[in-house]
Amino acid sequence: MVESNPRVLAGRYEVGELIGRGGMAEVRIGRDNRLSRRVAVKLLRADLAQDSTFQARFRREAQSAAALNHPAIVSVYDTGEDNRELPDGTTQHVPFIVMEYVEGHTVRELLRDGAALPIDEAVEITEGVLSALEYSHHAGIVHRDIKPANVMITTAGDVKVMDFGIARAVADSAATMTQTQAVVGTAQYLSPEQARGEVVDARSDVYSTGALLFELLTGRPPFVGDSPVAVAYQHVREEPPTPSSLASDVPEELDRIVLKALAKDRTLRYQSAAEFRADLETAQRGGIVSAPAVGVIAAATTAMPTSPAGPTQVLPTPGPRQTSRTATIVPPADENEADRRGRAWIWVLSIVAILLVGGIAWAIWGQGDPDTPPSPSPSPSETVPVTVAIPDVSGMTEDEARRELTDLGLTVLAATESEASEEIEKDRVVRTNPAAQQNVEEGDEVQLVLSAGPSALEVPDIVGDSQEDALQKLKDAGFTGSPVITIVDSPEQELGRVVSIEPAGATTAPPDQSFQISVASGNVPVPDLRGLTVTEADELLAANKLRLDPSFTYTPTNDWDPDTIMSWTPSAGDGPQPQGTRITIEIAQAMPEPTPTQTPTQEPTATPTDEETLG
């Protein structure tokens, strides 16, 4: 059933039928009435929209996503809030995002039957996703929810990545697997650090893209289980099978690339989307990829158990595997490589032996003096961590803060946070996470929190300015929201000049405020002149930026008062007219008085009298 009165958002976007629904939002087809184009409108679920913290982060991240301009990223045109009146009389604010409408289908639909895609097509789709991620990571935005349902293939065959910013907003609200259905629903593509609830960075997107490529090549995700928790456990603990063990036509180079992208330790993965994409392009050209041989990464992440039984126990032993395929260790490339590894182990064993002998000697020496209590000697496997106090970098630029923290041996995350600050200039560091003066171990990760500027700014007076100057004034004042421009017929301003702004000038508003700006069309409605005198009509037309044509037409009539206006052209029925248009009027003229008609008089005819007749 089609609604007789379709829902309209922000007085501009007409919302139509439902075309998609996710764990946190629904997507409807829409129409931008101002630009006459189809759009996709995403509305947040009502229960999430009631969280003010989530609303603020959603708006901030949506604005960040709107700044992404890349052919492989679905464009975000506008954001705002839909105000709904609930049955109890209260108003609910539901944030929405207006996006590019993409005709095509998702990768999830391509994989619905469980069949793998052709290798060239799988690689091409992955390269498109990595191209989008390379651009977004450079802009400081981590997607955090790469999965087949978020990748579109257009009717022209182009790749489009969706939901930039939304996944970031969910992650920023401290969502975990057990807290948010949206995260549980994508457990098959979670990076190990996401599954553990740790802070994520661009390398988490690399992992999720590796899981996507695995499914494109084999028809199934790298890990499957009875529940999302079971799948997440495998992401953290299990080694993935090689794609070729499930699809025999997958070449060895792609096995190596996929397993490097799926490394548990993020330092062993591709460190950027660009590096991942470069290896895929090299594999397509038949070159030598940078990914190590199958099994090397698994061996590097395998724990090395120690035992008091003897030094022979130091050698790594393969542990039990719960996956359906077992990666094989590639033998040394040559005898020199084997010799080098052998010599390395000899050095390791020698150091262990020296430490053991030293410990025994220290124990004997300590026992020689009964009054001296034995001192504990460190275990050979124990190392004393180096702690670092995080310095106060507030007020610094991002580059300055990164250099200072890096020089202390700390790892500064690529992604940053932002928050309002009245004291710290916009885009400078407000604080760090962990906080300043807190002791952490050398190499620990630190995240920078940048200033988003004041929480409220003064709205400049832009009435009378041109549209371009008005938008520049708002930008210079620090406002980042997307204004809604409405063209109105008004005599108050000339063509292209601002008639009004809401919230009004000289008031305060948050930096992400979306202003309603009315701009003059240059047209004005023609007023009703009926019955007015010429002087009254002249004044009224001048007030409406119209002019009175001095050529009057007079029409004699008894139906109107003399010297009043009977009709005018153009009239109100002709619609708004450009400012300065001349209005021709017709004026009533009194009918002339009728001239009285006289009957001609005749000379009297003399009638002879009787006497005259008789005489």
Side-chain angles (χ1 to χ4, degrees):
M1 178 176 174
V2 180
E3 297 181 13
S4 57
N5 295 316
R7 184 175 173 189
V8 177
L9 306 178
R12 174 176 179 176
Y13 304 107
E14 188 175 307
V15 180
E17 64 186 62
L18 182 71
I19 57 176
R21 180 181 285 114
M24 56 176 286
E26 63 178 22
V27 181
R28 293 180 175 271
I29 193 169
R31 176 178 174 79
D32 184 342
N33 290 329
R34 182 173 305 151
L35 299 179
S36 297
R37 66 179 176 186
R38 277 200 298 180
V39 295
V41 181
K42 173 161 286 193
L43 289 153
L44 233 61
R45 268 191 356 223
D47 57 330
L48 292 179
Q50 293 172 345
D51 187 334
S52 59
T53 301
F54 187 89
Q55 283 185 349
R57 289 177 174 172
F58 178 81
R59 286 194 296 267
R60 185 169 67 246
E61 294 301 334
Q63 289 162 6
S64 298
L68 296 177
N69 183 17
H70 190 274
I73 297 176
V74 173
S75 300
V76 173
Y77 296 143
D78 196 6
T79 64
E81 289 185 355
D82 179 34
N83 299 324
R84 300 179 184 174
E85 186 173 346
L86 300 179
D88 60 2
T90 60
T91 301
Q92 182 186 62
H93 306 284
V94 180
F96 67 85
I97 294 179
V98 182
M99 306 178 298
E100 171 189 7
Y101 177 76
V102 180
E103 291 191 9
H105 44 262
T106 66
V107 172
R108 169 54 58 215
E109 293 173 278
L110 293 178
L111 296 169
R112 194 178 301 278
D113 59 358
L117 298 186
I119 291 177
D120 289 343
E121 185 177 350
V123 172
E124 184 179 353
I125 291 173
T126 307
E127 287 178 346
V129 173
L130 291 170
S131 175
L133 291 176
E134 181 181 354
Y135 178 84
S136 72
H137 292 167
H138 183 72
I141 296 178
V142 182
H143 191 289
R144 304 181 185 222
D145 196 19
I146 293 295
K147 58 183 179 180
N150 279 341
V151 180
M152 290 280 295
I153 307 298
T154 69
T155 53
D158 298 323
V159 176
K160 291 275 189 178
V161 180
M162 301 184 295
D163 279 357
F164 271 92
I166 297 177
R168 174 69 181 273
V170 174
D172 281 351
S173 61
T176 64
M177 285 189 53
T178 58
Q179 292 172 329
T180 305
Q181 183 181 355
V183 178
V184 172
T186 56
Q188 291 171 321
Y189 311 95
L190 284 177
S191 65
E193 55 269 23
Q194 282 177 289
R196 289 192 295 263
E198 300 173 355
V199 176
V200 302
D201 57 23
R203 292 170 293 183
S204 295
D205 283 347
V206 168
Y207 184 95
S208 299
T209 309
L212 172 65
L213 177 56
F214 186 103
E215 186 169 1
L216 292 172
L217 293 171
T218 65
R220 49 148 279 191
F223 299 111
V224 292
D226 297 333
S227 67
V229 175
V231 174
Y233 175 84
Q234 294 178 66
H235 279 294
V236 175
R237 296 296 181 187
E238 303 289 334
E239 291 300 331
T242 59
S244 61
S245 66
L246 301 174
S248 58
D249 59 337
V250 176
E252 190 259 350
E253 289 80 9
L254 287 181
D255 275 347
R256 293 161 59 184
I257 291 173
V258 170
L259 293 184
K260 180 172 181 178
L262 293 177
K264 306 295 181 195
D265 185 346
R266 68 179 94 184
T267 62
L268 299 178
R269 289 178 214 152
Y270 293 106
Q271 297 301 291
S272 68
E275 186 182 341
F276 190 172
R277 187 161 65 97
D279 242 8
L280 283 175
E281 292 174 349
T282 300
Q284 279 188 305
R285 295 193 304 266
I288 300 175
V289 299
S290 66
V294 174
V296 170
I297 291 179
T301 56
T302 301
M304 294 169 51
T306 58
S307 170
T312 56
Q313 299 297 319
V314 178
L315 294 175
T317 57
R321 299 281 296 280
Q322 296 180 17
T323 53
S324 59
R325 294 287 185 266
T326 303
T328 57
I329 304 296
V330 175
D334 51 34
E335 293 183 0
N336 291 334
E337 178 66 20
D339 291 342
R340 283 195 296 270
R341 292 184 180 181
R343 287 195 296 270
W345 281 116
I346 291 174
W347 277 105
V348 171
L349 296 178
S350 299
I351 292 171
V352 172
I354 291 171
L355 291 174
L356 289 174
V357 171
I360 294 172
W362 178 262
I364 295 174
W365 177 80
Q367 290 176 355
D369 186 355
D371 296 330
T372 304
S375 301
S377 58
S379 168
S381 61
E382 292 179 355
T383 58
V384 179
V386 178
T387 58
V388 178
I390 297 178
D392 185 359
V393 294
S394 59
M396 294 184 181
T397 65
E398 182 179 352
D399 290 340
E400 291 170 345
R402 286 184 181 278
R403 281 196 298 271
E404 180 157 342
L405 294 169
T406 303
D407 290 345
L408 292 175
L410 298 172
T411 302
V412 184
L413 296 177
T416 61
E417 292 289 341
S418 62
E419 65 180 33
S421 174
E422 307 295 332
E423 297 82 16
I424 304 297
E425 183 182 342
K426 188 175 184 296
D427 294 331
R428 288 184 174 263
V429 178
V430 176
R431 58 182 176 84
T432 56
N433 186 18
Q437 308 308 323
Q438 185 171 334
N439 290 326
V440 296
E441 293 185 12
E442 186 175 319
D444 278 2
E445 295 177 341
V446 179
Q447 188 169 40
L448 298 177
V449 180
L450 303 182
S451 170
S455 58
L457 303 171
E458 184 172 355
V459 180
D461 184 9
I462 61 173
V463 173
D465 292 344
S466 67
Q467 179 177 331
E468 181 180 355
D469 290 343
L471 295 179
Q472 187 62 46
K473 276 188 178 181
L474 290 174
K475 182 178 180 181
D476 293 342
F479 290 102
T480 59
S482 300
V484 177
I485 308 296
T486 303
I487 307 300
V488 297
D489 299 328
S490 171
E492 297 177 21
Q493 298 294 337
E494 297 176 359
L495 172 65
R497 299 284 174 174
V498 174
V499 176
S500 66
I501 177 175
E502 180 63 33
T507 61
T508 58
D512 59 356
Q513 175 71 47
S514 180
F515 291 95
Q516 304 284 334
I517 300 177
S518 298
V519 176
S521 66
N523 296 331
V524 291
V526 179
D528 188 349
L529 305 179
R530 190 174 309 153
L532 301 182
T533 65
V534 172
T535 301
E536 292 170 339
D538 189 29
E539 294 175 352
L540 182 58
L541 291 174
N544 284 273
K545 296 289 180 68
L546 297 170
R547 293 190 295 171
L548 184 63
D549 194 313
S551 300
F552 306 154
T553 300
Y554 290 89
T555 302
T557 179
N558 288 327
D559 296 333
W560 295 85
D561 292 336
D563 299 322
T564 61
I565 297 174
M566 300 170 50
S567 64
W568 60 98
T569 306
S571 65
D574 297 324
Q577 300 296 316
Q579 294 179 9
T581 298
R582 289 179 180 270
I583 306 299
T584 303
I585 60 175
E586 182 184 11
I587 303 174
Q589 186 180 41
M591 296 286 290
E593 292 292 335
T595 304
T597 58
Q598 296 181 354
T599 304
T601 58
Q602 295 181 351
E603 292 287 336
T605 303
T607 303
T609 63
D610 294 339
E611 293 147 350
E612 290 176 338
T613 304
L614 293 176

